[in-house]
Each structure stands twice: as structure tokens, then as C-alpha cells.
Amino acid sequence: MKEARFTMAHSSFETIVNEISEDVDVLHIELDTDMVENRPVKEEAVCSKNVLRKQRHWERQLAAKKSKRREEKQRRKLNREQHIDCNGAAPQLTKRVLKAITKERLAEAQSTGPRLCVDLSMTDCMSDKEISRLAGQLRRLYGSNKKATQPFHLFLTDLREESRLYRECVRMNDGFLSYTIDITGESCLDVFTSETIIYLTPDAEQALQSVDPDKVYVLGGLVDESIQKKLSLSRASELSVLTARLPIDEYMTKKNNPKNFHSKILAINQVFDILLTFCDTGSWTEAFRRWFPLGKGFIVDPDTTNSQS
């Protein structure tokens, strides 16, 4: 009987010891888990600071871009208002009538307007980001032509339906497939004779003096963030055609700026806006004053203010 009691007491004691041991193990595991979980907290805090810093930097860049767009929009609005002031008050027309007038002007330009072609043969060497930027420039170029009183007959060459640029234009630009533009996958030399082509490039020696209705003015459709020099000039040499540059040196002068930055490289829509205004006013001075980007480090030369081509 005593042995049985001793055995039961011993068994109960072992049970209690085992339970205490299990509790200690659980406590130890929980402590270890807390220590393991606490370690990444500091690492996450460091990562969070880096992410926040990058996010703030991105937000600052985005704010700067939005500010630049607002300034450009205001500048365009001012130019339109000045144009209306010079030509008298514009009559109030409905959107439908304005759309019909625009369509008629663009259709007429396809038979009588000066010709401008965007050569898109160099897009294979461009990144996806550069392709998107070029699609945006084509949209703005077409928008300027729609608003012009004397629009150009526009061509896009070397633009194939399977290309990245074509798909991006369809994706980004509403109504792209309905643009009043001649689009072809052929080279500009397959569409025009070499004698009629003048390839506009900032590296050309000869300055453009006038716009000849019998010529075709070709812009190199290129966005190159790596700034490889003379790509459009090389393309013109490959085609064996005449070249010309905008007369920036003749009508503009360098402006001092903190970064000492000066560039004559313009987006295709910026070149087109300058050409449109020159054709409308006959003045390179006025064209540069209206459309040459202020951030490029050039201003209209005061000595040529009254000069006209």
C-alpha cells in the first residue's frame, strides 16, 4: 500500500516537473521568437527610411515636371491669345463646326500644304521609355498641326504595325488611327525622291532660310537620352540627301545661366512649332521667341529683333 502511494506521488511529481519544463520551453521559445522578430524591425526601419527618401525625391521630380507642364501650357495659351489679338476677335463657334473646319483644313493641306515627314527608322535602338516619349511628341506635333491656320501635310515613314512605337502610339494617343497623317512602313526614300528631301538636323552646316513648298522637310524621329552625337546627320548621309539646321546661331544668342547649359537639340514637336510659326509669320525671330524652350540656354538676339528671313 505504501509502495502504491509512493508510486502515485512519484508519478504526480514527474507530471508536475514535466509541465514546468514544458512551460519553461514554451517561454524560451517565445523569448527567442521575440528576439528574432525584433531584429528585422531595425532593418525594416532602415529600409523604410530609404524608401521614404526615394519617394520624396520622386515626388519632388514629379512636382517639378507638373510645374514645367503648367508653365508650357500657360505659354501656349498666351501665344494663342496674342494670335487672336493680332487677327481680331475670334467668332464663337460650336465644337462640331470647329471640328469640321479643322478636318477641312487638314484635308486641303494634304493636297496643297508644305510637306513634313518624320523618319522613324531609328527607333530600334531606343529604350521603351524613349519610345513612349517619342509617341508623346508625335501626339503634340499632330495637335499643333490641327490648330495651325496653314497646316502641313504630314508623313510618318518606317512605322510598321508590329513595331513598339506603333503599339505605343495606339495605346497613348486617343484617335491615333484616325489621324490625318500618311503612315507607311516604307522608307522616306521610297515615298519621295532624294532631290526633294531636306533633312533637318542640328549638326548640319547650312542654315534653313525659308520653307520651299516643292521640298519635303524630314525630321529624325529620335529620343536619345544617352545623347549620342550626330545620329540624324549620319542618317541623312546614309540617305544621300541635303541637310539643313534651324538658324539658331543666326537669330539667337547664349544666355548666362547657373549651370552654363546650352543646347540646340529640340524635340520634334518643338522644331515643328517653330516651322509652323515661321510659315505663318515669315519671321524666324518671332518663331524662336514663341517656341524655343527657355531651359535650353538661348534667347533671341536683340540685334535681330526686327530681322525677318
Side-chain angles (χ1 to χ4, degrees), residues 206-211 245 247 250-251 278 284 309:
Q206 187 71 30
L208 184 66
Q209 297 299 326
S210 61
V211 174
R245 57 176 172 78
E250 287 74 12
Y251 289 89
F278 171 73
W284 286 115
S309 172

Side-chain angles (χ1 to χ4, degrees), residues 250-266:
E250 287 74 12
Y251 289 89
M252 305 195 79
T253 185
K254 289 182 179 180
K255 179 183 178 182
N256 293 330
N257 59 76
K259 294 183 179 180
N260 196 30
F261 175 76
H262 304 91
S263 175
K264 302 173 188 175
I265 299 174
L266 305 177

Side-chain angles (χ1 to χ4, degrees), residues 19 47 75 105 133 150 169 179 191 244 252 274 289 293:
E19 289 177 354
C47 292
R75 186 180 178 189
R105 275 205 309 261
R133 288 182 59 190
Q150 297 178 354
C169 283
Y179 280 9
V191 181
M252 305 195 79
I274 291 170
R289 187 190 65 77

Side-chain angles (χ1 to χ4, degrees), residues 40-58:
V41 171
K42 292 182 179 178
E43 295 175 2
E44 289 176 3
V46 174
C47 292
S48 297
K49 287 181 180 178
N50 290 334
V51 170
L52 285 172
R53 186 165 58 251
K54 289 179 181 178
Q55 184 176 351
R56 283 196 219 94
H57 177 67
W58 179 81

Side-chain angles (χ1 to χ4, degrees), residues 181-293:
I181 299 181
D182 288 349
I183 301 175
T184 176
E186 296 180 317
S187 164
C188 56
L189 277 183
D190 296 324
V191 181
F192 313 107
T193 61
S194 59
E195 294 80 11
T196 61
I197 293 176
I198 296 180
Y199 209 109
L200 298 179
T201 167
D203 300 304
E205 293 184 5
Q206 187 71 30
L208 184 66
Q209 297 299 326
S210 61
V211 174
D212 186 342
D214 295 326
K215 298 293 184 181
V216 181
Y217 296 91
V218 179
L219 300 177
L222 180 68
V223 174
D224 178 30
E225 294 186 343
S226 63
I227 314 296
Q228 300 179 52
K229 293 184 178 180
K230 300 187 177 181
L231 285 177
S232 56
L233 183 62
S234 298
R235 173 61 175 162
S237 299
E238 179 186 327
L239 297 173
S240 299
V241 296
L242 293 175
T243 60
R245 57 176 172 78
L246 293 179
I248 297 171
D249 293 337
E250 287 74 12
Y251 289 89
M252 305 195 79
T253 185
K254 289 182 179 180
K255 179 183 178 182
N256 293 330
N257 59 76
K259 294 183 179 180
N260 196 30
F261 175 76
H262 304 91
S263 175
K264 302 173 188 175
I265 299 174
L266 305 177
I268 57 172
N269 58 294
Q270 293 170 338
V271 175
F272 185 63
D273 282 333
I274 291 170
L275 286 176
L276 272 177
T277 302
F278 171 73
C279 289
D280 190 35
T281 65
S283 169
W284 286 115
T285 298
E286 182 63 17
F288 287 133
R289 187 190 65 77
R290 286 192 196 179
W291 299 113
F292 197 91

